[in-house]
């Protein structure tokens, strides 16, 4: 004598029971919301992005026949896939730039900090008219103070030259 198990599926009651239990769509929505908030609170690699896009120390020597700005902006356009109107490169060690967010700068309540020291800079500006896909830049070298946005004591966004 064996045990027989009868399993029956009743579409009306089974559907009703799934609607009474936890809603998987709501759960998935909450997970995505939390992940999105985490991304806003702490954007991934924002400090590394700041360093890779704005810090050029020691200053790069362009290949023969190319100007500094044309070469550097070409390298940058490989990452952002467009020609920018203007971009500033900072020729200082990252340790000095990190200090802007702590002892080497004056910060407001929004963690926007002005450097106390001046830094060697090259600002590259797009010449008019741009001729895509090859964009031609003019470089302006100067030593100035800068303004950056900081998160957790690290610069994450270049705002402007002061």
């Amino acid at each position: 004598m064996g045990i027989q198990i009868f399993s029956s599926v009743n579409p009306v009651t089974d559907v009703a029971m799934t609607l009474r239990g936890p809603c998987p769509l709501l759960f998935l929505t909450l997970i995505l919301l939390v992940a999105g908030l985490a991304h806003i609170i702490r954007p991934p690699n924002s400090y590394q992005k700041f360093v890779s896009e704005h810090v050029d120390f020691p200053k790069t020597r362009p290949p023969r026949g190319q100007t500094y700005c044309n070469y550097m902006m070409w390298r940058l356009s490989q990452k952002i896939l467009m020609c920018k109107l203007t971009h500033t490169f900072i020729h200082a060690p990252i340790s000095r730039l990190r200090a802007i967010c702590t002892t080497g700068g004056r910060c407001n309540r929004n963690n926007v900090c002005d450097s106390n020291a001046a830094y060697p800079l090259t600002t590259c500006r797009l010449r008019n008219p741009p001729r895509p896909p090859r964009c031609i830049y003019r470089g302006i070298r100067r030593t100035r103070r800068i303004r950056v946005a900081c998160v957790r004591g690290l610069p994450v966004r270049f705002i402007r030259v002061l």
Side-chain angles (χ1 to χ4, degrees):
M1 193 162 141
I3 300 176
Q4 291 183 337
I5 300 175
F6 292 99
S7 174
S8 65
V9 176
N10 183 333
V12 174
T13 57
D14 288 347
V15 169
M17 290 184 72
T18 32
L19 293 176
R20 274 189 258 141
C23 181
L25 187 57
L26 178 61
F27 181 70
L28 179 61
T29 303
L30 289 174
I31 294 291
L32 292 173
L33 179 64
V34 169
L37 287 175
H39 180 74
I40 291 169
I41 292 169
R42 184 167 184 240
N45 302 319
S46 49
Y47 168 69
Q48 288 88 353
K49 183 177 184 222
F50 168 81
V51 171
S52 72
E53 289 184 3
H54 290 283
V55 180
D56 183 36
F57 182 80
K59 187 176 178 180
T60 300
R61 293 183 73 187
R64 183 174 288 243
Q66 287 192 8
T67 65
Y68 175 80
C69 280
N70 284 340
Y71 178 68
M72 293 300 287
M73 294 304 286
W74 173 80
R75 282 180 39 185
L76 184 64
S77 72
Q78 302 302 301
K79 297 175 189 172
I80 62 172
L81 304 174
M82 63 179 241
C83 293
K84 293 182 71 172
L85 294 176
T86 184
H87 190 82
T88 299
F89 295 98
I90 308 162
H91 310 296
I94 56 173
S95 58
R96 286 187 58 209
L97 298 174
R98 281 194 307 259
I100 297 170
C101 300
T102 56
T103 59
R106 289 183 300 270
C107 303
N108 66 20
R109 280 181 255 141
N110 298 321
N111 288 324
V112 172
C113 304
D114 294 346
S115 68
N116 293 335
Y119 296 95
L121 310 169
T122 302
T123 299
C124 300
R125 294 183 194 271
L126 187 62
R127 286 189 177 177
N128 289 331
R131 296 203 164 111
R134 182 178 150 94
C135 298
I136 307 296
Y137 290 89
R138 178 176 55 94
I140 301 166
R141 290 183 290 175
R142 54 193 171 169
T143 300
R144 296 280 192 278
R145 293 174 45 238
I146 60 173
R147 178 173 291 161
V148 296
C150 298
V151 173
R152 292 184 177 90
L154 295 173
V156 294
R157 187 167 53 92
F158 178 84
I159 297 176
R160 70 183 192 94
V161 175
L162 298 174

